Amino acid sequence: MTTTLLVLLVGELLTPFQSDLNVVLPLAFPGAVPEVLLGPNAPPGRTVAWVTNKSGGLEVEVVLHTARIAGDLRRLLRFTSSDAPRDRAKAVAFTLAAMMREREADLESLKPPAPQAPVLQGHAAWTLDASLFGGLDLPGLQPGGGLGVRLRRELVAPLQLGVGAEVGLFAAPSTTLVQPSFFVELAVPLSRGAFSTAAVVGGGVTAPILSRDGVSLTTWLPLLRVAAEGRLEVGPHHGFRFAVTGHFIPSSLSVFVGEALLGTVGPAWVRPEVGYFAEL
């Protein structure tokens, strides 16, 4: 026990009981054995147990007072005339030990919580994903598809910064459109959990290549991208990615054969995407 206990014997508990109690106390208190004295008066500031004999020795009241806790613990033990004095002393000793353990637990609960070391929030891992996309240009509704990859990391919570590249292959009037793009994007998480969502905005450059009969024309243009994105974790640190992306260039691309205008492509594309992501 961490508290020194003083046991005071009161009433008709005389020296024979004290002798029996001194013998059995080391069994109940294997650490610091309490001090046992006769008389009701205790020094102030002590943890004290008053053991009082009643009803001619057939009842013993045990009162435990702890200086640091308001209110006393009380136990009333009842015996029969056939109970041996040593057994009565043993019952009192182990009752005292149980009461002391209860008070020690109360004292522990009163202690202020230990100061917690500040938790340093490290940056999240890099996330790599690869996505297939389909799409239509607007307003011409020319179909196409392609592949994109991106690398993203949370740099300033909760914002996530990423870089990416993609290449798309789209139809154009009597022409093929190959559209490589490179971009930087900023993702703002909208929800977190096994299924998370985010709004994404990004910008970069694209180099649409119009090809017909072995002749190609490449035009470098600024690029704006906006997306609504969802990620579904299927295991620790990996899962599926879903998105709908808007892909915008400043103006539509005109398709000519000689001086004849066959039509235009763009300036916008809408792209549903599905892919897989993994934290590195």
Side-chain angles (χ1 to χ4, degrees):
M1 295 293 173
T2 57
T3 303
T4 302
L5 175 63
L6 174 65
V7 180
L8 293 177
L9 303 183
V10 184
E12 302 173 11
L13 292 173
L14 302 178
T15 304
F17 183 85
Q18 181 178 0
S19 299
D20 289 330
L21 191 60
N22 285 331
V23 171
V24 297
L25 278 175
L27 301 177
F29 294 84
V33 179
E35 179 185 3
V36 181
L37 297 175
L38 295 174
N41 297 321
R46 292 288 300 272
T47 295
V48 181
W50 285 272
V51 179
T52 305
N53 186 31
K54 296 182 177 182
S55 304
L58 297 183
E59 291 185 350
V60 174
E61 183 183 47
V62 182
V63 179
L64 177 63
H65 170 77
T66 303
R68 289 176 287 173
I69 297 181
D72 299 333
L73 291 179
R74 294 177 180 270
R75 301 289 187 270
L76 182 63
L77 306 180
R78 290 186 171 89
F79 302 102
T80 65
S81 57
S82 60
D83 292 325
R86 181 64 56 87
D87 293 335
R88 300 184 193 186
K90 185 181 295 185
V92 170
F94 280 92
T95 298
L96 275 172
M99 295 168 74
M100 283 292 291
R101 286 193 295 269
E102 183 176 342
R103 270 300 184 246
E104 290 292 337
D106 294 338
L107 286 172
E108 285 295 324
S109 67
L110 294 177
K111 290 182 178 179
Q116 298 292 324
V119 178
L120 299 179
Q121 297 290 344
H123 293 312
W126 287 101
T127 300
L128 176 67
D129 67 71
S131 300
L132 295 172
F133 64 84
L136 292 173
D137 90 295
L138 300 176
L141 301 181
Q142 298 288 346
L147 171 68
V149 294
R150 61 185 43 76
L151 189 63
R152 186 183 294 173
R153 183 169 185 169
E154 184 176 276
L155 296 181
V156 180
L159 301 180
Q160 300 170 355
L161 185 66
V163 295
E166 65 178 29
V167 59
L169 179 63
F170 285 83
S174 302
T175 307
T176 299
L177 172 63
V178 179
Q179 195 174 52
S181 304
F182 307 92
F183 51 87
V184 177
E185 63 182 16
L186 186 67
V188 182
L190 302 178
S191 66
R192 296 182 182 271
F195 181 73
S196 60
T197 58
V200 185
V201 61
V205 294
T206 184
I209 304 170
L210 291 168
S211 299
R212 175 185 169 88
D213 298 330
V215 179
S216 63
L217 174 66
T218 301
T219 307
W220 288 89
L221 295 169
L223 170 68
L224 173 66
R225 290 168 53 87
V226 294
E229 178 184 270
R231 292 175 182 252
L232 176 63
E233 292 187 3
V234 297
H237 313 299
H238 65 97
F240 292 103
R241 174 183 177 271
F242 311 91
V244 177
T245 303
H247 182 109
F248 305 93
I249 58 177
S251 61
S252 59
L253 300 172
S254 299
V255 181
F256 287 91
V257 175
E259 295 183 358
L261 177 63
L262 299 183
T264 60
V265 182
W269 287 260
V270 59
R271 306 181 176 200
E273 303 179 18
V274 61
Y276 204 79
F277 74 88
E279 291 185 4
L280 305 179

